[in-house]
């Protein structure tokens, strides 16, 4: 006596193969939709025009003989500013941009101590490569550079 089809091995084996492909495709689409990485900016034209403005601000920083180093001390970030031709240590807007995860970007407005050190504390230690921009409150000059955290030795930012 022959068994009905639903009690045999081969029909179920042939049904399971495409079914697993469909399930894994749905899982893959859900994972990629929830963890997208935006490597290309939407307003690339405006960003390109902004590069020229940034270059002029970098040149102003060079003319003023400005320099800066940055390092981490546990959860604290320390920025040391060489004020060059400036009369005093200005308030700095320090912007941290992650290389591939824009939702992790942040900025802080910092004031210095008497030695030109700017310090702030984060909830958790920074990890990995970051792009750092230093600008005064009036944005007339710019110092920027790449830093890999944690970094106990000071990293010079290019001016």
């Amino acid at each position: 006596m022959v068994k009905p089809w639903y009690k045999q091995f081969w029909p179920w084996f042939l049904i399971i193969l495409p079914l697993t492909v469909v399930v894994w495709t749905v899982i893959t689409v859900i994972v990629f939709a929830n963890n997208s990485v935006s490597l290309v900016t939407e307003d690339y034209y405006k960003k390109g025009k902004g590069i020229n403005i940034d270059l002029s601000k970098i040149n102003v920083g060079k003319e003023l003989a400005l320099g800066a180093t940055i390092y981490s001390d546990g959860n604290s970030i320390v920025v040391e500013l060489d004020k060059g031709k400036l009369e005093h240590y200005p308030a700095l807007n320090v912007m941290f941009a992650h290389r591939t995860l824009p939702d992790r970007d942040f900025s802080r407005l910092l004031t210095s101590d008497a030695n030109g050190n700017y310090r702030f504390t984060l909830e958790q230690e920074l990890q990995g490569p970051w792009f750092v921009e230093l600008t005064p409150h009036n944005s007339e000059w710019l110092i920027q550079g790449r830093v890999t955290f944690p970094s106990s030795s000071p990293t010079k930012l290019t001016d």
Side-chain angles (χ1 to χ4, degrees):
M1 180 152 200
V2 177
K3 294 184 201 176
W5 72 269
Y6 56 86
K7 290 186 178 182
Q8 294 182 16
F9 170 75
W10 288 110
W12 289 110
F13 179 75
L14 295 174
I15 291 171
I16 291 291
L17 288 177
L19 189 63
T20 54
V21 170
V22 169
V23 169
W24 282 109
T25 301
V26 169
I27 290 171
T28 304
V29 167
I30 290 171
V31 167
F32 282 124
N34 291 335
N35 299 310
S36 65
V37 175
S38 62
L39 295 177
V40 178
T41 181
E42 293 294 327
D43 56 349
Y44 63 91
Y45 180 72
K46 290 180 184 176
K47 294 268 187 191
K49 287 175 59 178
I51 290 172
N52 291 336
I53 295 170
D54 288 347
L55 290 176
S56 65
K57 290 179 180 180
I58 290 171
N59 290 335
V60 170
K62 288 180 181 179
E63 290 171 7
L64 293 172
L66 299 174
T69 58
I70 188 168
Y71 64 92
S72 62
D73 183 18
N75 290 0
S76 295
I77 305 295
V78 180
V79 178
E80 297 174 347
L81 180 68
D82 176 9
K83 67 178 182 167
K85 297 177 184 176
L86 294 176
E87 295 179 13
H88 64 291
Y89 291 105
L92 287 183
N93 185 23
V94 182
M95 192 269 301
F96 289 81
H98 194 272
R99 186 179 290 173
T100 57
L101 303 171
D103 59 321
R104 291 190 181 177
D105 296 355
F106 66 95
S107 63
R108 296 279 194 278
L109 183 62
L110 304 176
T111 57
S112 72
D113 60 12
N115 298 324
N117 296 327
Y118 299 79
R119 178 183 297 265
F120 68 97
T121 305
L122 298 169
E123 293 178 11
Q124 59 184 352
E125 189 175 7
L126 282 182
Q127 298 289 327
W130 289 83
F131 183 75
V132 181
E133 285 186 353
L134 306 176
T135 55
H137 61 283
N138 60 3
S139 299
E140 67 184 21
W141 50 263
L142 169 70
I143 300 174
Q144 63 185 5
R146 297 190 197 290
V147 183
T148 302
F149 290 103
S151 67
S152 55
S153 62
T155 302
K156 183 170 177 27
L157 299 178
T158 57
D159 43 348

